[in-house]
Amino acid sequence: MENIEDALPQIRAKLENFDWKNIYNMDETDLFYRLQADHSLATKQLEGRKKDKERLTVVVCCNEDGSDKVSLWVIDFVR
């Protein structure tokens, strides 16, 4: 964490040389599309079900000013 905190001012200084439209941020998230709920509306845990961990990894990306929103990318399929 110390290294990250020390590097942040240098990174911010370099980013000041670019327009916001040229700075992109990307993140990924997993979509467990077959995962069943483990709680009912009454928050009672449902017993006896094995969790299906089949998933897709989805990437979300856009530039800092929001003028370029890149289409979602599916980069992984795990069974």
Side-chain angles (χ1 to χ4, degrees):
M1 286 303 286
E2 278 182 33
N3 292 339
I4 293 171
E5 290 174 9
D6 292 342
L8 282 177
Q10 296 169 358
I11 293 170
R12 287 188 180 120
K14 288 181 181 181
L15 290 176
E16 288 178 3
N17 298 324
F18 296 93
D19 292 330
W20 280 22
K21 67 180 181 179
N22 295 324
I23 301 172
Y24 282 78
N25 186 29
M26 182 187 82
D27 203 358
E28 63 184 62
T29 185
D30 288 329
L31 174 63
F32 292 89
Y33 61 93
R34 291 193 178 195
L35 189 63
Q36 295 179 350
D38 63 350
H39 288 82
S40 67
L41 291 176
T43 67
K44 177 182 174 186
Q45 188 167 358
L46 302 174
E47 299 294 331
R49 295 185 181 200
K50 183 177 178 183
K51 292 186 179 186
D52 189 346
K53 295 182 180 170
E54 191 169 332
R55 69 181 184 268
L56 297 172
T57 301
V58 179
V59 173
V60 181
C61 182
C62 73
N63 62 350
E64 288 292 324
D65 70 358
S67 63
D68 184 18
K69 297 173 184 164
V70 180
S71 298
L72 296 177
W73 301 335
V74 177
I75 61 169
D76 202 13
F77 178 75
V78 178
R79 282 188 182 238

